[in-house]
Amino acid sequence: MNDVPTRSLPEEVTATSEVAAGAVLTIDLGAIRENYRRLKARLGNVRCAGVLKADGYGVGASQVAAALLGEGCDIFFVALLGEGVALRRSIGPGPAIFVLNGIPPGAEQDAVAADLCAVINSVGQLAAWRAAGRRAGRKLPAAIQVDSGMSRLGMAPRDVERVATDPHAFDGIDIRFVMSHLACADEPEHPANERQRLAFEGLRKMLPAAPASLANSSGIFLGARFHYDLARPGAALYGINPTPARSNPMLPVVRLEAKVVQTRMLEAGVGVGYGHTFHTVAPLTAATISLGYADGWHRRAASAAWFEGARLPFLGRVSMDSIILDISALPSGKLREGDLVELLGPSQSVDDAAGHAGTIGYEILTSLGPRFHRRYVYG
Ligand SMILES: *Cc1c(COP(=O)(O)O)cnc(C)c1O
């Protein structure tokens, strides 16, 4: 037996401690606050929520919530009940937390106990929330989501018509908002935007009068007639460009850097990485960094890192925990073991990385894994 006394284990070394982690994710909460202020400025008197689903798009829901609370934001949206309960635990009583995917059948009591607001997407969810209100002996807060044309979540027009004719449909429910979601808001010329807005107008008129909410990040940039009473931005807060055809009006929020674990000279004619998908044609200098697909850097994601302005292309395939870079562009000895190279940041934005991978910034951010050392800064 090779018994290591527990006492001698290095307590300060955890999977994500700075010395142990392979990569560092820096999240600029000051930039998130500035992005919130920029959206508010566009919205005038319209209220602005913060969307924190998927752990705040991967960057940390509780830290982002604290930053937004500092800006006076008091309405949050998450996707799942569990995210809502965790957020309530983190921010305490007061601010409204809406659960976009609705409350799972049978879990209404848990939602009530955590003082969550249901987003009601169906006639069944409406009945369940009404019953929960009866049991609680008070009106329960909710947003009624209608499907204005995305065909994903929310009551279809025929469901809205059905509940509209039932005088007791909303008994025990405090309708905070009637809401819907846009399918094509990032394409301002897309005819579906105006079609959805008109459908939303028609549907909300059938329901009890309540404040309305339609715009996500990109929806805010479609103009004031899409703003209604509450906007629900997520992506733009995190620095993703809400106007893909134009330059990004938001500040970047994340920086991802990976540690160099080894550098080496490669001879001409050697195979590099799994499957030998790359062979050197001439001698080159390579560096192996501590980041891979297990960290959420997909094999198809952007295929270069950066160091002091130099582009360092990936060689061969992304491994689970490592990537091999061609560092020939740098003077010999410039990049050393322990140095950090940039994967996301000033040289390669989240949207750049997404473009290379044939995906969107949302997927790049929400893929970033739990192994990084995370650093929250006010830049
Ligand atoms: C995710 C989501 C949002 C936020 O969308 P962004 O494009 O990230 O701004 C708003 N509303 C609903 C219903 C959503 O699902």
Side-chain angles (χ1 to χ4, degrees):
M1 284 292 284
N2 183 9
D3 259 337
V4 181
T6 312
R7 236 172 331 107
S8 72
L9 287 176
E11 302 221 333
E12 68 286 1
V13 177
T14 63
T16 59
S17 63
E18 189 164 6
V19 63
V24 180
L25 185 67
T26 305
I27 295 130
D28 185 347
L29 296 173
I32 291 182
R33 288 181 67 149
E34 170 62 18
N35 287 340
Y36 184 79
R37 289 194 292 271
R38 289 183 185 183
L39 297 174
K40 288 276 289 181
R42 293 203 148 253
L43 288 165
N45 290 327
V46 170
R47 299 173 76 183
C48 189
V51 179
L52 301 176
K53 57 199 188 187
D55 196 28
Y57 290 45
V59 311
S62 88
Q63 290 85 350
V64 176
L68 294 178
L69 284 166
E71 291 299 321
C73 177
D74 59 358
I75 303 179
F76 299 106
F77 286 84
V78 295
L80 304 174
L81 171 67
E83 294 174 348
V85 173
L87 183 59
R88 177 63 75 209
R89 212 170 270 138
S90 150
I91 66 176
I97 302 173
F98 288 87
V99 180
L100 287 165
N101 282 13
I103 308 303
E108 290 80 12
Q109 278 322 115
D110 297 322
V112 172
D115 194 21
L116 303 180
C117 306
V119 173
I120 292 174
N121 295 306
S122 68
V123 176
Q125 286 179 7
L126 178 62
W129 202 236
R130 203 166 50 219
R134 212 177 303 121
R135 283 196 301 276
R138 64 187 169 89
K139 286 194 163 207
L140 296 181
I144 309 298
Q145 177 150 236
V146 297
D147 178 11
S148 58
M150 186 173 177
S151 314
R152 183 180 72 169
L153 279 171
M155 288 194 209
R158 67 179 171 283
D159 299 325
V160 176
E161 279 165 30
R162 202 171 121 201
V163 299
T165 57
D166 174 358
H168 298 294
F170 299 99
D171 285 358
I173 292 177
D174 168 15
I175 306 179
R176 298 278 176 88
F177 297 100
V178 173
M179 61 175 277
S180 191
H181 192 48
L182 296 165
C184 307
D186 58 343
E187 297 173 59
E189 305 306 326
H190 203 296
N193 293 320
E194 186 61 11
R195 269 205 307 269
Q196 279 199 262
R197 196 185 69 79
L198 293 172
F200 182 55
E201 287 285 319
L203 292 168
R204 65 185 280 252
K205 286 207 181 87
M206 288 192 257
L207 294 168
S213 176
L214 181 61
N216 64 340
S217 298
S218 296
I220 294 171
F221 293 82
L222 293 177
R225 65 188 195 289
F226 286 83
H227 291 173
Y228 292 96
D229 303 299
L230 174 77
R232 308 182 310 268
L237 295 174
Y238 306 99
I240 292 170
N241 187 356
T243 58
R246 287 179 280 146
S247 65
N248 193 347
M250 314 317 295
L251 284 182
V253 166
V254 300
R255 188 182 182 112
L256 175 62
E257 296 158 296
K259 284 181 195 164
V260 173
V261 286
Q262 197 173 44
T263 61
R264 68 174 72 241
M265 288 293 304
L266 298 177
E267 305 296 326
V270 301
V272 180
Y274 281 124
H276 279 180
T277 56
F278 178 82
H279 286 86
T280 56
V281 289
L284 60 79
T285 352
T288 302
I289 57 171
S290 205
L291 176 95
Y293 59 76
D295 298 296
W297 200 271
H298 299 309
R299 292 200 345 177
R300 290 179 52 239
S303 53
W306 296 78
F307 187 76
E308 293 183 359
R311 185 175 183 276
L312 311 176
F314 292 5
L315 297 175
R317 286 185 180 148
V318 172
S319 298
M320 185 185 293
D321 316 295
S322 55
I323 295 171
I324 306 156
L325 306 177
D326 179 354
I327 61 166
S328 308
L330 294 171
S332 162
K334 177 95 182 149
L335 188 67
R336 302 219 295 263
E337 291 178 16
D339 283 347
L340 293 170
V341 298
E342 178 196 320
L343 277 299
L344 296 173
S347 304
Q348 184 159 265
S349 72
V350 171
D351 291 306
D352 292 337
H356 287 286
T359 179
I360 52 175
Y362 297 64
E363 198 181 21
I364 298 290
L365 275 191
T366 57
S367 297
L368 297 179
R371 288 207 291 193
F372 304 130
H373 175 65
R374 288 178 178 230
R375 213 185 264 156
Y376 291 90
V377 299
Y378 273 91

